Amino acid sequence: MASNPIHCEIDLGASGKQTGYLRLPHSVHRSAYGYLPYPIATIKNGEGPTVLLMSGNHGDEYEGQVIVSSLIRELQASDISGRLILLPMANFPAAREGMRTSPIDEGNLNRTFPGNPKGNPTQVIAHYIESVLMPEVDYVFDLHSGGSSLLYVPTLLLLRQTDDQNMEIKEAVAREFGLPYTAIYGRDDEGGFSSAAAIRQGAIPFTTELGGAGTVNRAYTQLAKNGLLRALVRLGVLQKELPPPDYESRVFPNDDLVFAPEVGMYEPLAEPGDAVNAGDPAALVHVPETPGKEPVEVTFEKSGMVLAKRVPARVVRGDCLFHLACD
Ligand SMILES: [Zn+2]
């Protein structure tokens, strides 16, 4: 495959803290020889693991961007044993506009791995992250949130592979992270997610869902930042004294999604953090377009904990209303 056209301004192998940009050549009407500047930083000191910290994979998920940006400012090389690579706006054009997908090419970075060095900007940055950065990386943290359409209670997503040899370290990191919930996923290394990319390149992935609804929740951001720092200490890449986790994370081995059954206006009957039983009412979908029509009741098909609800009221058939963690 062709080499990747991105030029990294900083030396990823150099010691100390460096900040700069990944330059992705982008020739458009207003700028014939321009580039898209994806912010990047490295903090390296001595021997130890390399950890990739990503946010802004979906550009409308803000908590992670706040956390990764603050770590770039606050962590010093003397805190580190090994190396951090930090990408606060992984799909930069999407993050700049506060959109889930890129306004340039409609690309959803977290469905685009392994990418294509000759493709559109989202495909090129996906290829760079998977084929240039990840082969040098031991652990990947990709900080997601609910974005514009969902609101989560802070949750760590753990991927369990077939015959997973790394579950011990994954579960240890989940305990240190100390988010209220941990949802375990069974997925393999196929597919366009950053977690699948990490596995293909021999790295161990961790994903979060932190808040959302197009806002930044201060309490969630602080909780997740402290959890991430404890996780980095557990992995041996950070030397720091930190307070213990606030939560003993509740672990769920399965999950389920609830969808809108038709067009209308959805009224949630459950909130993130609620425990629900199969058969409980989940939502009403009102149909004001049809006078006299009763709202359609949606029920939960499984028992579990509501991790996320949809935020905007208008729905069409197929919109996701709830994400449930299940036993
Ligand atoms: Zn996301």
Side-chain angles (χ1 to χ4, degrees):
M1 184 167 283
S3 65
N4 192 286
I6 289 176
H7 167 69
C8 181
E9 289 181 356
I10 60 178
D11 177 356
L12 296 173
S15 292
K17 174 153 68 172
Q18 305 175 78
T19 61
Y21 297 92
L22 299 173
R23 298 184 179 193
L24 192 158
H26 191 55
S27 177
V28 289
H29 177 76
R30 59 167 295 279
S31 185
Y33 301 149
Y35 64 85
L36 295 168
Y38 294 68
I40 186 169
T42 57
I43 311 175
K44 183 175 189 288
N45 183 41
E47 296 300 311
T50 291
V51 180
L52 173 62
L53 303 178
M54 280 171 61
S55 56
N57 178 335
H58 292 134
D60 61 344
E61 300 174 5
Y62 302 119
E63 288 88 345
Q65 298 182 54
V66 170
I67 293 167
V68 174
S69 299
S70 75
L71 295 185
I72 292 172
R73 296 192 307 275
E74 293 167 12
L75 292 180
Q76 306 305 325
S78 58
D79 300 323
I80 302 300
S81 297
R83 177 171 57 160
L84 300 182
I85 300 174
L86 305 102
L87 277 182
M89 300 169 86
N91 196 0
F92 168 72
R96 184 175 54 183
E97 299 298 324
M99 292 175 66
R100 179 173 179 83
T101 53
S102 171
I104 293 175
D105 52 35
E106 308 250 299
N108 179 342
L109 176 57
N110 214 34
R111 302 292 185 274
T112 304
F113 295 97
N116 175 0
K118 290 181 168 300
N120 61 39
T122 302
Q123 293 169 325
V124 172
I125 189 68
H127 179 265
Y128 187 88
I129 291 169
E130 176 160 348
S131 300
V132 179
L133 296 182
M134 283 184 177
E136 300 188 20
V137 165
D138 301 294
Y139 305 99
V140 175
F141 289 85
D142 190 5
L143 305 180
H144 288 255
S145 298
S148 306
S149 75
L150 294 171
L151 177 63
Y152 268 89
V153 280
T155 303
L156 186 73
L157 303 180
L158 271 194
L159 195 139
R160 186 203 298 274
Q161 295 172 264
T162 316
D163 298 327
D164 200 320
Q165 306 297 310
N166 297 313
M167 278 316 284
E168 203 171 313
I169 185 70
K170 288 180 183 176
E171 286 170 356
V173 165
R175 279 193 297 277
E176 291 298 322
F177 222 111
L179 296 182
Y181 305 108
T182 299
I184 296 180
Y185 278 69
R187 260 194 213 120
D188 57 19
D189 59 358
E190 299 292 320
F193 293 86
S194 66
S195 49
I199 290 169
R200 283 193 289 267
Q201 302 305 326
I204 296 179
F206 299 93
T207 306
T208 63
E209 296 291 356
L210 310 167
T215 64
V216 176
N217 178 313
R218 171 81 174 166
Y220 290 179
T221 304
Q222 294 291 94
L223 180 74
K225 180 179 164 185
N226 288 333
L228 177 59
L229 289 171
R230 279 191 302 270
L232 295 176
V233 169
R234 177 64 182 77
L235 295 173
V237 72
L238 177 67
Q239 317 299 321
K240 218 173 176 61
E241 288 293 323
L242 294 161
D246 292 336
Y247 294 90
E248 194 175 320
S249 193
R250 194 167 159 194
V251 181
F252 292 89
N254 289 298
D255 69 330
D256 195 39
L257 299 173
V258 178
F259 296 98
E262 73 173 277
V263 175
M265 226 165 53
Y266 122 93
E267 178 185 1
L269 301 177
E271 293 294 319
D274 285 355
V276 298
N277 290 310
D280 282 355
L284 295 173
V285 178
H286 299 272
V287 192
E289 287 87 344
T290 308
K293 183 173 165 63
E294 290 290 328
V296 178
E297 187 177 271
V298 185
T299 55
F300 289 106
E301 290 183 6
K302 294 184 179 171
S303 300
M305 182 68 61
V306 178
L307 295 179
K309 70 165 181 176
R310 177 180 170 83
V311 174
R314 288 298 312 189
V315 294
V316 297
R317 182 179 292 121
D319 282 341
C320 179
L321 303 182
F322 294 97
H323 184 190
L324 211 61
C326 308
D327 289 318

